[in-house]
């Protein structure tokens, strides 16, 4: 737990969804060439997690809501400039770059899952451009995940807090 007074920022549904999405994506990656339908069903599980998170982003508690952490492009660019200058403020919830990363990860996961589903349909089974789209989106998702992890590690170091632990217990130091 963080030292000093803390506040619950991330509710259980956000935290469980976060780790479950990471797990389903990892399993989908490792089952991509496996026989049987494991890969397909794990992909559907990822889509289900995304759907729940989208609904929670509109109806959940304050820090789960998109309105709380998805900022305008102007605010996000200004925050990005502050990061590059080493002068960004600490945010209690997600920072503006992190907010847009959540949007990018959810959208890309949905596109990967959607293109994977499309590939299972009679009309698009064996269609090369659908297979290529699915593979390309998968690599885009992996790049976004790497950037997400790098951003979390940077913010943890920069603001002297363990954001990974925060996504386990849900608490952060009060500003």
């Amino acid at each position: 737990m963080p030292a000093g007074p803390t506040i619950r920022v991330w509710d259980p549904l956000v935290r469980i969804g976060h780790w479950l999405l990471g797990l389903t994506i990892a399993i989908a990656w490792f089952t991509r060439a496996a026989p049987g339908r494991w890969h397909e069903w794990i992909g559907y599980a990822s889509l289900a997690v995304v759907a729940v998170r989208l609904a929670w982003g509109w109806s959940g508690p304050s820090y789960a809501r998109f309105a709380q952490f998805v900022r305008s492009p102007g605010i996000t660019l200004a925050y990005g400039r502050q990061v590059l200058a080493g002068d960004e403020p600490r945010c209690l919830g997600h920072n503006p770059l992190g907010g847009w990363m959540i949007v990018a990860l959810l959208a890309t996961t949905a596109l990967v899952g959607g293109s994977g589903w499309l590939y299972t349909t009679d009309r698009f089974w064996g269609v090369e451009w659908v297979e290529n789209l699915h593979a390309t989106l998968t690599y885009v998702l992996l790049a976004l995940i790497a950037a997400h992890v790098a951003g979390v590690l940077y913010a943890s170091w920069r603001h002297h807090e363990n954001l990974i632990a925060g996504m386990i217990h849900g608490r952060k130091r009060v500003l």
Side-chain angles (χ1 to χ4, degrees):
M1 293 290 288
T6 64
I7 185 172
R8 180 167 306 278
V9 175
W10 295 297
D11 64 273
L13 193 130
V14 165
R15 297 188 329 262
I16 291 167
H18 173 269
W19 295 111
L20 191 56
L21 188 58
L23 180 64
T24 59
I25 290 168
I27 293 171
W29 173 259
F30 289 113
T31 61
R32 68 192 183 280
R37 298 187 74 168
W38 276 103
H39 180 77
E40 183 180 339
W41 287 106
I42 293 298
Y44 294 145
S46 294
L47 285 173
V49 173
V50 169
V52 169
R53 182 60 184 98
L54 290 174
W56 201 239
W58 298 107
S59 63
S62 174
Y63 289 106
R65 291 182 182 239
F66 297 119
Q68 194 278 330
F69 61 81
V70 177
R71 297 289 172 227
S72 71
I75 289 173
T76 305
L77 288 172
Y79 185 83
R81 284 191 292 273
Q82 289 175 310
V83 168
L84 291 174
D87 191 35
E88 77 281 5
R90 178 178 170 264
C91 298
L92 191 53
H94 291 92
N95 67 52
L97 291 172
W100 280 105
M101 178 56 77
I102 292 168
V103 171
L105 287 166
L106 291 174
T108 305
T109 301
L111 290 170
V112 169
S115 64
W117 166 78
L118 195 62
Y119 196 67
T120 68
T121 63
D122 289 339
R123 180 176 176 133
F124 293 102
W125 175 254
V127 175
E128 187 176 356
W129 74 263
V130 177
E131 183 178 5
N132 291 339
L133 176 65
H134 185 66
T136 300
L137 288 168
T138 300
Y139 286 110
V140 169
L141 180 59
L142 292 176
L144 287 171
I145 291 168
H148 169 61
V149 170
V152 166
L153 293 175
Y154 171 79
S156 292
W157 169 77
R158 180 84 175 89
H159 299 291
H160 308 289
E161 62 187 345
N162 188 341
L163 293 176
I164 297 169
M167 193 50 73
I168 294 170
H169 53 64
R171 303 189 75 77
K172 285 183 78 175
R173 284 188 338 265
V174 176
L175 290 175

